[in-house]
């Protein structure tokens, strides 16, 4: 008779035992041919086909689990990709195959439905990780810019209604773990172990399947808005205006005046429209890294700590209060941010709407030239956001000259904040 413990034991892993070297569809990251590179397969219904850690859809796989639990979705359902192909062509570009240029997204992700259609027809669960569509963008500030004669409708890029015609691109993260580790200056083994531990053991393959080098992390995606012809971004003759923006729900969506996020985002969009109207192309890359990648709960806790400290909100303790609550002043780091620019084929940005040294260093350090850095106009800075601006200037994170102000650095008591 079997013991109760043995009869009720369930092993909670998508791979019953570590079994390196048996991947049916190996991934050769950086290969110049998508067939040679191989498909990205994160299926949870056919474990033998899996060649990556994680699941398609990243964080949304949890909502899929809820839909299945509620019996609203068939767990065996697969997407019908008919007519979902991109509305604009992107690549392939040389950066896709240059070692180390792209490690956090799948360059072939938007072509998966076409390149691997035979595999899909044969029953293999291959899904796109990038989608490209056409859309119109409308923000009330654009109408205000038109009313102030800073922008004029042209009927192509900008319409009388204030609508902006854009190509809109959604990019799910796809991490090549050896490349991620190299970017952050650690060993792949250390990265895998830390990812495993800090996600509470959610992904056992991180430590049991060293043969799987690709990870679909459960984090937010990137959305790119392009004003102008996407195919011209790789042309060295094309002038490019770009705003790389990190998510700030409170400001971007709800208009909170404690920071400059939405004003700078809108300013970036305005400059992108102006660049496109002048014959160039504008790019907005929107990264979901809420609260400096610390989350909105942490952000609001920091707001309270800043406002309630003796003397009120102060530039000199701006980053210190974040570190006290979160343990780190900024978790974005930006090492992975340039990947999407390389995916678009960009080699030079003529006007970068950002005074963040962290972003600038990441972009230029990855080999992309930045000709000019464009600060947010002073009149667009909300009164309550002055503390943020002064703190960033003092930290060397934001200065009109793009370099730290030595006298201001003394005000933050010698703290090493230049990377912020």
């Amino acid at each position: 008779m079997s013991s109760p413990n043995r009869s009720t034991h369930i092993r909670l892993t998508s791979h019953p035992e570590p079994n390196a070297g048996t991947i049916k569809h190996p991934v050769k990251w950086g290969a110049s041919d998508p067939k040679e590179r191989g498909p990205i397969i994160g299926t949870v219904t056919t474990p033998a086909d899996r060649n990556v850690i994680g699941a398609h859809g990243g964080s949304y796989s949890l909502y899929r689990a809820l839909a299945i639990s509620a019996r609203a979705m068939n767990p065996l359902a697969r997407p019908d990709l008919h007519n979902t192909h991109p509305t604009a062509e992107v690549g392939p570009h040389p950066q896709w195959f240059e070692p180390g240029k792209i490690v956090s997204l799948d360059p072939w992700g938007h072509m998966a439905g076409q390149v691997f259609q035979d595999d899909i027809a044969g029953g293999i669960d291959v899904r796109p990780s990038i989608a490209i569509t056409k859309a119109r963008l409308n923000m009330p500030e654009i109408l205000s810019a038109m009313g102030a004669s800073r922008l004029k409708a042209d009927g192509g890029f900008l319409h009388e209604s204030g609508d902006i015609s854009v190509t809109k691109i959604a990019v799910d993260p796809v991490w090549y773990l050896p490349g991620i580790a190299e970017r952050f200056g650690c060993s792949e083994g250390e990265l895998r172990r830390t990812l495993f531990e800090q996600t509470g053991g959610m992904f056992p393959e991180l430590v049991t399947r060293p043969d799987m080098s690709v990870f679909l992390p459960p984090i937010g995606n990137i959305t790119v808005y392009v004003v102008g012809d996407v195919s011209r971004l790789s042309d060295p003759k094309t002038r490019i205006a770009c705003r790389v923006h990190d998510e700030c729900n409170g400001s971007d969506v709800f208009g909170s005046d404690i920071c400059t996020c939405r004003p700078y985002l809108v300013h970036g969009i305005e400059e992108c429209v102006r660049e496109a109207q002048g014959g160039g192309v504008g790019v907005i890359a929107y990264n979901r890294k809420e609260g400096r990648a610390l989350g909105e709960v942490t952000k609001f806790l920091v707001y309270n700590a800043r406002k309630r400290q003796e003397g009120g909100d102060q530039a000199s303790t701006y980053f210190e209060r974040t570190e006290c609550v979160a343990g780190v002043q900024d978790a974005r780091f930006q090492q992975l941010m340039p990947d999407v620019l390389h995916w678009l084929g960009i080699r030079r940005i003529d006007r970068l709407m950002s005074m963040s040294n962290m972003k600038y260093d990441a972009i230029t350090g990855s080999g992309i030239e930045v000709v000019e850095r464009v600060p947010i106009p002073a009149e667009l800075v909300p009164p309550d956001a002055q503390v943020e601006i002064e703190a960033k200037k003092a930290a060397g994170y934001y200065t009109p000259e793009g370099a730290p102000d030595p006298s201001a650095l003394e005000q933050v008591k010698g703290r090493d904040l230049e990377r912020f």
Side-chain angles (χ1 to χ4, degrees):
M1 181 175 177
S2 299
S3 68
N5 286 341
R6 288 190 63 185
S7 63
T8 59
H9 176 72
I10 299 175
R11 185 179 178 85
L12 296 177
T13 175
S14 57
H15 293 276
E17 298 294 339
N19 195 18
T22 60
I23 294 179
K24 292 169 58 177
H25 309 277
V27 176
K28 186 178 179 182
W29 196 268
S32 58
D33 178 83
K35 289 285 190 178
E36 181 185 1
R37 200 291 305 275
I40 299 297
I41 308 171
T43 179
V44 294
T45 57
T46 313
D49 286 342
R50 287 171 57 83
N51 61 6
V52 301
I53 302 163
H56 292 301
S59 60
Y60 289 97
S61 63
L62 301 179
Y63 288 100
R64 185 167 64 244
L66 291 179
I68 293 169
S69 298
R71 295 174 174 77
M73 180 180 179
N74 182 347
L76 301 180
R78 294 184 181 179
D80 178 355
L81 299 177
H82 180 65
N83 281 338
T84 63
H85 57 279
T87 59
E89 292 186 10
V90 175
H93 296 297
Q95 294 97 312
W96 294 14
F97 326 121
E98 293 177 16
K101 286 292 187 187
I102 297 177
V103 300
S104 63
L105 59 89
D106 175 12
W108 304 99
H110 57 308
M111 302 182 184
Q114 291 74 53
V115 170
F116 301 109
Q117 59 182 339
D118 292 341
D119 298 281
I120 295 171
I124 299 175
D125 190 8
V126 182
R127 306 188 186 190
S129 60
I130 299 175
I132 305 174
T133 190
K134 298 287 187 182
R136 287 197 178 187
L137 176 66
N138 190 298
M139 303 179 80
E141 291 93 337
I142 298 300
L143 278 174
S144 297
M146 294 170 69
S149 298
R150 295 198 307 273
L151 288 176
K152 293 184 179 180
D154 55 66
F157 302 116
L158 181 60
H159 304 269
E160 291 289 350
S161 61
D163 287 354
I164 304 168
S165 293
V166 299
T167 297
K168 186 163 63 171
I169 306 168
V171 182
D172 275 344
V174 178
W175 286 6
Y176 177 56
L177 292 174
I180 299 288
E182 184 176 352
R183 290 275 181 95
F184 283 86
C186 63
S187 69
E188 183 185 348
E190 181 183 359
L191 174 66
R192 285 173 172 269
R193 172 59 62 177
T194 305
L195 287 171
F196 173 73
E197 292 174 348
Q198 294 303 313
T199 56
M202 284 178 64
F203 303 98
E205 297 96 334
L206 286 165
V207 292
T208 64
R209 295 298 302 267
D211 55 326
M212 287 186 173
S213 60
V214 178
F215 177 38
L216 306 182
I219 59 175
N221 67 312
I222 304 167
T223 309
V224 181
Y225 295 85
V226 180
V227 187
D229 186 350
V230 178
S231 67
R232 295 181 58 232
L233 287 170
S234 60
D235 185 344
K237 297 179 182 178
T238 301
R239 280 185 54 87
I240 297 173
C242 178
R243 166 69 182 168
V244 177
H245 189 90
D246 292 324
E247 178 183 27
C248 177
N249 185 60
S251 179
D252 296 342
V253 179
F254 294 101
S256 170
D257 66 351
I258 198 171
C259 61
T260 59
C261 295
R262 181 181 173 99
Y264 219 153
L265 175 61
V266 173
H267 173 62
I269 293 171
E270 184 176 331
E271 293 299 319
C272 285
V273 171
R274 187 172 292 110
E275 195 66 67
Q277 289 178 329
V281 180
V283 177
I284 301 291
Y286 191 94
N287 299 278
R288 280 168 179 81
K289 297 178 181 176
E290 178 64 62
R292 301 195 207 119
L294 298 170
E296 201 167 40
V297 169
T298 295
K299 177 195 280 189
F300 289 4
L301 294 175
V302 172
Y303 284 169
N304 287 345
R306 284 171 48 193
K307 298 284 187 177
R308 289 170 174 164
Q309 66 184 337
E310 185 178 351
D313 201 4
Q314 303 168 46
S316 60
T317 57
Y318 180 91
F319 289 109
E320 180 182 347
R321 297 312 301 150
T322 302
E323 186 173 16
C324 288
V325 175
V328 64
Q329 295 172 348
D330 194 323
R332 290 172 297 176
F333 301 114
Q334 305 296 354
Q335 281 96 325
L336 305 179
M337 174 269 291
D339 286 25
V340 73
L341 304 178
H342 289 299
W343 176 72
L344 290 166
I346 294 173
R347 297 281 192 184
R348 186 194 69 251
I349 296 172
D350 295 276
R351 306 185 76 233
L352 177 66
M353 275 68 72
S354 172
M355 298 310 297
S356 163
N357 291 339
M358 181 190 275
K359 292 177 182 177
Y360 173 81
D361 290 344
I363 292 171
T364 57
S366 76
I368 298 174
E369 178 187 1
V370 174
V371 178
E372 179 188 4
R373 298 168 69 180
V374 182
I376 183 173
E379 63 271 17
L380 296 184
V381 179
D384 205 28
Q386 292 294 337
V387 170
E388 175 201 52
I389 290 291
E390 293 306 314
K392 289 180 177 180
K393 287 180 181 179
Y397 177 32
Y398 177 108
T399 66
E401 298 79 22
D405 179 352
S407 63
L409 282 173
E410 294 179 1
Q411 299 177 18
V412 289
K413 302 177 182 178
R415 297 182 68 88
D416 181 15
L417 303 177
E418 290 189 25
R419 64 191 180 98
F420 300 98

